[in-house]
Amino acid sequence: MKIVQVKDYKEMSQKAAEVIIHKVKQENRINLGLATGGTPKGLYEAMIEDHRKNGTSYQHVTTFNLDEYIGLKEQDPNSYHYYMAESLFNHIDIPKFQTYLPNGLADDNNHECEQYDRLIQALGGIDLQVLGIGQNGHIGFNEPGTSFQSSTHIVTLEESTRKANARYFNTLDDVPTHAITMGISSIMNSKEILLLISGEEKADAMQKLLHGEISEDFPASVLKRHSHVTIIADQKALSGV
Ligand code: GLP
């Protein structure tokens, strides 16, 4: 794993945007894996700013998001469909039909999971996957204990994850209990991974990732087995290392 140390959230976002914009400009076709949460917001803002200023085009880009809550409508401001539309897709020139997220309202969730993995493979796999990390080491919504062999699946969210994400909802009760997430093996199939880590509340996770063992109890540790991972981490995230 290559570690790029940066000063703060702003610099992390800027650096991540540079990596993505460079790839997008270089390739004739590219599949990006995208994440939600607070961490990639600044990255998406930097991509939008670059699109406005420099005209970087996303017409040849296809995106696959990591996860979606079960039971929220696309128009629900807390759904990841809504987050992605508002935070990125509505502000760049990517065609909507080239942006994929798991459907959290499918009639048959297991079928939806299988279809999502099949679709990613059929369209050529993910070239570059952006990841954040949960305080407990989760990636996507793969909570501690998830099999490293897992493909896209349904998860019961840990209480700690629901609490951490409750800041976006009116009350903790409004936070869904289940989600659909790309599995660990789906994530590991990406050709390249860009992990963004910022802030004091991630310092423990950063420390465990760098110094802990590879274990399903700490999902992000699997990334040590991937041959092309870049971590961009800020000073606060690195404060415990
Ligand atoms: C959420 C998302 C993850 C994200 C993580 C960290 O639950 N499902 O994809 O990486 O938690 O979120 P944040 O960036 O807001 O700290």
Side-chain angles (χ1 to χ4, degrees):
M1 297 191 300
K2 178 179 150 197
I3 301 177
V4 178
Q5 302 189 16
V6 293
K7 196 165 110 245
D8 53 18
Y9 181 80
K10 193 161 186 237
E11 202 182 326
M12 177 195 75
S13 305
Q14 205 56 49
K15 275 260 170 342
E18 280 166 24
V19 172
I20 292 177
I21 291 163
H22 177 74
K23 282 224 134 210
V24 163
K25 282 182 169 164
Q26 208 177 28
E27 308 290 337
N28 294 327
R29 261 200 79 237
I30 180 165
N31 293 338
L32 294 180
L34 299 179
T36 49
T39 306
K41 273 245 162 181
L43 155 66
Y44 299 148
E45 279 163 18
M47 286 166 71
I48 293 167
E49 198 187 325
D50 163 79
H51 173 71
R52 284 199 185 123
K53 273 195 192 148
N54 308 318
T56 302
S57 175
Y58 292 83
Q59 294 198 1
H60 61 301
V61 176
T62 299
T63 63
F64 299 96
N65 265 78
L66 284 168
D67 45 19
E68 178 58 288
Y69 289 113
I70 302 264
L72 298 188
K73 293 204 179 83
E74 283 188 21
Q75 306 83 332
D76 188 308
N78 285 310
S79 77
Y80 287 164
H81 277 81
Y82 188 92
Y83 170 109
M84 287 309 303
E86 285 294 305
S87 309
L88 183 64
F89 300 151
N90 288 350
H91 309 285
I92 58 175
D93 63 343
I94 190 163
K96 187 169 180 341
F97 66 86
Q98 283 166 213
T99 63
Y100 296 98
L101 288 95
N103 177 10
L105 288 174
D107 291 334
D108 180 344
N109 284 330
N110 289 327
H111 181 70
E112 170 64 20
C113 293
E114 281 167 28
Q115 282 299 104
Y116 200 65
D117 277 326
R118 248 185 240 140
L119 181 72
I120 294 172
Q121 287 320 310
L123 294 179
I126 291 172
D127 296 298
L128 176 65
Q129 174 68 57
V130 176
L131 285 184
I133 186 171
Q135 292 173 29
N136 61 4
H138 74 238
I139 47 176
F141 266 134
N142 294 285
E143 298 282 24
T146 306
S147 163
F148 283 168
Q149 262 71 55
S150 55
S151 49
T152 298
H153 61 286
I154 306 296
V155 288
T156 305
L157 299 176
E158 281 203 357
E159 205 50 22
S160 62
T161 300
R162 292 184 65 240
K163 278 189 183 143
N165 288 354
R167 63 190 191 275
Y168 301 113
F169 293 79
N170 288 333
T171 69
L172 179 59
D173 282 346
D174 292 334
V175 185
T177 52
H178 292 79
I180 179 166
T181 184
M182 248 186 229
I184 304 264
S185 82
S186 331
I187 292 171
M188 289 292 280
N189 280 337
S190 313
K191 296 178 189 87
E192 185 178 345
I193 292 174
L194 187 61
L195 172 61
L196 308 182
I197 314 186
S198 166
E200 246 160 326
E201 63 282 6
K202 300 291 170 70
D204 259 10
M206 180 83 232
Q207 205 270 346
K208 280 196 190 120
L209 176 61
L210 293 187
H211 304 299
E213 55 184 32
I214 299 177
S215 155
E216 288 179 352
D217 292 336
F218 192 77
S221 63
V222 75
L223 298 175
K224 292 188 201 185
R225 290 190 182 151
H226 195 286
S227 58
H228 201 168
V229 175
T230 304
I231 302 175
I232 307 181
D234 70 7
Q235 275 170 9
K236 284 186 178 156
L238 288 162
S239 59
V241 172

